[in-house]
Amino acid sequence: MRFFMVEQFCNTMRILAIETSCDETGIALVEAQKTDEGFIFRVLKNMLLSQAKLHEEYGGVYPTLAKREHQKNLPILFREFADEKVDAVAVTHGPGLEPALWTGIEFAKRVSEQWGVPLLPTNHMEGHLISSLVKDGELQNIELPVLALLISGGHTEFVLMRDWFKYEVIGETLDDAVGEAFDKVARMLGLPYPGGPEISKQASTAREKNTESPAKLPRPMITADTCDVSFSGLKTAALYALKNLGEITDEQRAAFAREFEDAVTDVLVTKTKRALKETGAKTFVIGGGVAANKHIRESLQKLLAEEFTYVEMRLPELSITGDNAIMIAEAALARALSGLDDSNMSDLRAVGNLSIAS
Ligand code: KG4
Ligand code: ZN
């Protein structure tokens, strides 16, 4: 990694960011000001086109289709930004689906060349993390270390930031990501993709009525002496339980969804408790698509209120939990205004499994 000062980016900067790592095509124009305590962001324009409906019949994201859609959507969205003036262009270069990532990279390269501004490759997970820390447009007075629980369709990881922009993965899933488990169990229950919000809806009905689940599910690795998690066993247990049950009523389906959501939440809460104790983090943040889940948010808030009163919790606004380009802009802006220059046009490529710790 290269660290050198970027003289021209004084204290304010405006970036156009492009996100195409999965099934959302996003472009955003964001401005940031560096202050003594951090950064103040102003989102000037934000465009997002979701392909979720198109991928529904596959029960997940279909890479070639995602690529084609991004190629179609990017120029349409870009029309709204064509007359803007920016200091740099940022683009997600990983992690994500490589064919999808490439469409964003190629497009961003052309824009940065045309506009004659630097191109800043940005890590998607860092985007989730940094943007989730932002509160009312401000990323200020954050006490380190920060512990982040990043939960999305492709990732589930505990990330520790002891120094700004230096990340250590202290726990992660050994198999499926939480979002993936939500999506697959939703499919087993006959619910549409993306399954997370659907399971959550069903589960909250069952919570209101307090209906009993027709099956009990395991809490994998909950007692293991590590911050790692595993969800494939839970998914398989759900599959067998449903096979055994055969036909189920709507009420039973909702109660089963609740049991699944409870199982995931129990694991995440227990592991968060362990991670907070182990790291002595002063700030805790959650990010990624699954961070929209009401039950998970409330359960983690309860844990902090009861056992970690000295830790400040940051919850992302619901509008930015899913993939978007604002998060890419904010991560790139925070880095650039801190004097970290990641611009490198020559070896910029899509890295499907890019780690936040790299
Ligand atoms: O971060 P994201 O938008 O895309 C990736 O980078 O993967 O996360 C998408 C995931 C999907 O698996 C979706 O089902 C899940 O986030 N998700 C939820 C909720 N909303 C979205 N999972 C649980 N509860 C929700 N309310
Ligand atoms: Zn994501």
Side-chain angles (χ1 to χ4, degrees):
M1 198 178 299
R2 300 154 306 281
F3 301 124
F4 33 84
M5 295 298 292
V6 186
E7 305 292 350
Q8 76 265 34
F9 299 145
C10 314
N11 282 330
T12 58
M13 189 177 169
R14 187 183 278 207
I15 268 187
L16 178 96
I18 296 178
E19 154 65 37
T20 61
S21 68
C22 194
D23 60 350
E24 317 280 342
T25 319
I27 305 188
L29 181 73
V30 183
E31 197 174 74
Q33 184 195 346
K34 188 171 168 28
T35 67
D36 290 341
E37 290 82 33
F39 307 94
I40 299 172
F41 295 109
R42 219 152 60 90
V43 178
L44 303 172
K45 217 180 265 182
N46 177 41
M47 306 282 290
L48 194 65
L49 273 176
S50 176
Q51 311 170 4
K53 277 272 158 286
L54 283 172
H55 294 282
E56 198 174 322
E57 67 175 289
Y58 303 100
V61 183
Y62 193 67
T64 343
L65 180 60
K67 176 182 164 176
R68 203 184 65 201
E69 286 301 304
H70 287 309
Q71 278 169 336
K72 194 179 85 193
N73 293 337
L74 280 169
I76 298 173
L77 294 187
F78 184 71
R79 268 184 229 144
E80 300 294 322
F81 301 85
D83 301 326
E84 300 294 346
K85 293 239 172 331
V86 300
D87 300 298
V89 173
V91 66
T92 309
H93 71 126
L97 302 168
E98 286 191 3
L101 289 162
W102 273 119
T103 61
I105 292 173
E106 295 298 343
F107 195 86
K109 266 188 187 166
R110 283 202 299 277
V111 175
S112 86
E113 275 162 22
Q114 250 174 35
W115 286 356
V117 294
L119 182 56
L120 308 176
T122 305
N123 183 303
H124 180 85
M125 300 314 285
E126 184 176 41
H128 275 306
L129 195 161
I130 296 292
S131 63
S132 299
L133 278 172
V134 176
K135 192 175 165 190
D136 302 324
E138 297 181 5
L139 179 66
Q140 302 200 96
N141 301 312
I142 304 282
E143 255 199 280
L144 298 173
V146 171
L147 175 71
L149 170 59
L150 302 180
I151 38 182
S152 69
H155 290 83
T156 298
E157 54 193 15
F158 282 102
V159 178
L160 184 65
M161 180 170 79
R162 284 199 192 279
D163 291 313
W164 278 98
F165 313 114
K166 297 227 174 88
Y167 308 104
E168 192 187 332
V169 177
I170 61 156
E172 62 191 328
T173 182
L174 302 178
D175 38 61
D176 294 354
V178 186
E180 195 180 345
F182 265 97
D183 293 339
K184 287 189 175 149
V185 171
R187 201 166 190 205
M188 293 173 203
L189 289 171
L191 301 168
Y193 173 85
E198 298 293 327
I199 295 233
S200 172
K201 244 187 266 166
Q202 296 274 333
S204 73
T205 327
R207 261 175 235 293
E208 266 163 38
K209 295 189 186 152
N210 206 15
T211 41
E212 187 84 17
S213 171
K216 191 87 181 107
L217 293 171
R219 271 68 175 155
M221 287 183 70
I222 199 159
T223 55
D225 201 6
T226 148
C227 294
D228 288 335
V229 292
S230 157
F231 294 106
S232 88
L234 173 60
K235 184 186 67 186
T236 314
L239 181 70
Y240 286 123
L242 287 171
K243 269 201 179 135
N244 274 338
L245 288 167
E247 281 282 304
I248 51 170
T249 64
D250 288 349
E251 201 160 81
Q252 282 176 319
R253 176 180 295 109
F256 190 91
R258 175 194 175 174
E259 170 65 9
F260 171 76
E261 193 176 67
D262 280 346
V264 170
T265 308
D266 286 351
V267 172
L268 294 179
V269 168
T270 304
K271 297 292 178 177
T272 299
K273 186 171 163 177
R274 169 180 285 277
L276 285 171
K277 275 193 187 150
E278 273 181 13
T279 58
K282 299 277 177 49
T283 306
F284 175 64
V285 63
I286 59 172
V290 186
N293 186 282
K294 185 163 176 266
H295 185 62
I296 295 175
R297 289 167 83 101
E298 288 175 357
S299 305
L300 289 168
Q301 271 177 311
K302 185 161 170 275
L303 169 74
L304 268 82
E306 286 174 359
E307 299 184 41
F308 297 91
T309 45
Y310 58 90
V311 178
E312 189 190 344
M313 182 160 177
R314 291 273 168 127
L315 280 169
E317 281 169 27
L318 291 178
S319 59
I320 60 129
T321 51
D323 293 345
N324 63 84
I326 296 174
M327 66 187 218
I328 302 308
E330 290 180 341
L333 283 163
R335 289 183 79 96
L337 286 170
S338 302
L340 299 177
D341 183 355
D342 302 304
S343 61
N344 189 337
M345 315 269 254
S346 57
D347 72 353
L348 174 53
R349 58 194 177 89
V351 186
N353 62 356
L354 184 70
S355 164
I356 192 169
S358 55

